Amino acid sequence: MPSSLASDAPSATSGSAIADIQAWATSFPVPAAHSVQLGVGRTLKRDAVIVKVTTEDGLIGWGESHHGRAHSSIAHFVTHALRPMVLGMDATDVNGVWQRIYTRQLASHGIGAGCAIAMSGIDMALWDIRGKATGWPLYKLLGGASKPIPAYAGGVALGWQDPSALVDEASAHVQAGYKAVKLRLGDSVERDVARVAAVRKAFGEGIEILTDVNAAYSLADARRAMPQLDALNVGWLEEPFPAHDYRSYELARAYGRVPFAAGENHYTRFEFNRLVDDRVVSILQPDLSKTGGITETMRIAALASAHKLPVHPHSSMTGINMAATLHVLSAIEGHGYFEADVSRGNLFRDELVATPFAIGADGCVRPSEAPGIGVEVDEAFLAAHPAIEGPAYA
């Protein structure tokens, strides 16, 4: 065994043992022309963590761990805490690898964001390997079928700006085929509502307007905003409050009809269980790169299915997550929108990998037919874009 810590793990079949795990923290600066103001601040740079798993017989799988605003720390966690736990395990045993990390880290030290994020990239890469080993695209391994998935224009885009400029930005996406857009709230309630009203007036009821507050509202803000958002027929109000502030979600439910959406900052099925039990969040948004990977997202989707709740996954920084999310959406019951990253100049989408998705005239996207997740990483890009330390938002 490559590590004594893995000595009690089940033996791998010939050639399928995990031989190595590497993680890169990578960044690029956001030029002023592409910077977006939203509830968490103005973008200064984009960060990501890329995970590569290699088997003894040379198969390579790629995954993405969310940066967690501490990308170098997350990459270090993958390499120095989790790698020794799973080296030598069977790369096809995704449940076994997940359980090993859970037993040795999450169960004994709590459901921490750092571990859940770090293990997500490993889990995703293992699913990529499984697909490549069989020659199947991931959605087939997950029990799904290729189908059109409705997409909304999202990502770090459509932020705080003059309403007329926001309409212009939204118009470009509508012309590209999108039938839904997500606007960033969390400014003042008056300015938030003015922006939503401008977009609704420009496009009428022909598009769906979704909104994301990035946890920037108080209860008083929500009380004032929600009736106005109802009148503008907003499809959902995403994360009006911090993920842990369950009481505010419960109290604010009475302020209007607009559905609450949350989940990108909830980790593993154990935290989603609370979201479901409280019965105030109508839309679940797990992120494959944050909540524990593809394995755990499928479990969360099963939980959602039991309660007839739709799943609209949150997308992370790179095309790896985006492509993987499409496969998951093609394989789950009650699937919702794909969050299409329309950020201007996102090199993690456009240069790190080949194009991870394409919007059709019907406003839908489809998963890749290539084996595994369907994208390959340009390691020269990683070498050319090392980690930039410091805050990503001003």
Side-chain angles (χ1 to χ4, degrees):
M1 285 288 180
S3 169
S4 60
L5 287 177
S7 60
D8 61 342
S11 298
T13 56
S14 177
S16 67
I18 297 172
D20 196 19
I21 298 175
Q22 298 171 266
W24 289 265
T26 179
S27 307
F28 66 87
V30 175
H34 293 169
S35 184
V36 176
Q37 179 78 32
L38 56 159
V40 293
R42 176 168 289 281
T43 52
L44 301 174
K45 64 184 175 96
R46 300 292 291 269
D47 297 326
V49 177
I50 308 304
V51 178
K52 178 184 181 182
V53 177
T54 306
T55 66
E56 286 184 349
D57 58 5
L59 282 177
I60 292 173
W62 292 101
E64 176 189 348
S65 291
H66 191 269
H67 57 76
R69 297 210 196 175
H71 57 329
S72 296
S73 297
I74 296 296
H76 190 275
F77 200 141
V78 172
T79 302
H80 296 281
L82 301 186
R83 177 179 178 272
M85 289 185 194
V86 301
L87 280 179
M89 292 187 70
D90 191 330
T92 66
D93 184 14
V94 292
N95 287 320
V97 171
W98 204 99
Q99 186 64 25
R100 186 175 185 81
I101 295 173
Y102 171 78
T103 301
R104 295 206 169 194
Q105 187 74 32
L106 290 177
S108 59
H109 289 75
I111 304 297
C115 184
I117 289 171
M119 71 191 294
S120 295
I122 294 175
D123 182 86
M124 193 180 296
L126 294 179
W127 277 102
D128 193 29
I129 285 172
R130 294 187 91 207
K132 289 171 178 175
T134 61
W136 280 12
L138 177 59
Y139 71 82
K140 288 188 177 181
L141 283 181
L142 296 174
S146 180
K147 53 193 169 188
I149 303 293
Y152 70 82
V156 186
L158 297 160
W160 301 356
Q161 54 188 303
D162 180 81
S164 62
L166 182 62
V167 168
D168 289 343
E169 183 180 350
S171 180
H173 302 312
V174 172
Q175 291 175 26
Y178 290 99
K179 305 297 190 294
V181 298
K182 187 166 80 175
L183 309 182
R184 298 290 182 159
L185 309 187
D187 193 359
S188 71
V189 170
E190 291 77 13
R191 288 190 288 271
D192 285 346
V193 172
R195 293 185 182 109
V196 176
V199 173
R200 177 60 75 206
K201 180 178 180 181
F203 302 103
E205 297 297 326
I207 66 166
E208 180 151 31
I209 298 176
L210 313 171
T211 60
D212 186 351
V213 187
N214 291 112
Y217 271 178
S218 65
L219 277 170
D221 293 331
R223 186 191 295 273
R224 291 168 54 215
M226 287 174 64
Q228 299 181 77
L229 298 178
D230 284 342
L232 291 165
N233 196 25
V234 164
W236 76 51
L237 184 63
E238 183 174 335
E239 285 201 318
F241 315 111
H244 59 268
D245 191 1
Y246 296 100
R247 183 173 182 274
S248 289
Y249 278 95
E250 180 181 4
L251 292 173
R253 185 59 278 157
Y255 298 165
R257 299 184 308 276
V258 58
F260 288 152
E264 70 173 272
N265 292 308
H266 288 81
Y267 302 97
T268 77
R269 63 193 183 277
F270 304 109
E271 290 192 353
F272 273 85
N273 191 55
R274 171 74 185 270
L275 274 184
V276 171
D277 279 353
D278 280 2
R279 300 186 180 186
V280 293
V281 172
S282 304
I283 294 159
L284 302 185
Q285 298 176 303
D287 185 321
L288 278 62
S289 293
K290 301 178 82 172
T291 201
I294 292 168
T295 300
E296 195 69 349
T297 301
M298 295 299 290
R299 293 166 175 161
I300 291 165
L303 173 67
S305 174
H307 293 268
K308 303 298 183 183
L309 295 173
V311 176
H312 302 253
H314 175 265
S315 292
S316 277
M317 296 291 109
T318 85
I320 305 171
N321 172 286
M322 297 168 200
T325 297
L326 275 175
H327 289 288
V328 168
L329 280 166
S330 297
I332 63 174
E333 182 184 351
H335 71 81
Y337 278 116
F338 169 68
E339 181 177 8
D341 181 283
V342 296
S343 310
R344 290 171 291 179
N346 183 357
L347 304 184
F348 295 149
R349 178 196 60 214
D350 302 332
E351 296 185 14
L352 175 69
V353 299
T355 305
F357 66 88
I359 187 71
D362 60 353
C364 295
V365 291
R366 287 180 180 268
S368 169
E369 294 296 332
I373 292 173
V375 296
E376 295 297 327
V377 168
D378 180 1
E379 293 192 45
F381 177 96
L382 296 174
H385 296 84
I388 301 171
E389 302 299 345
Y393 296 91

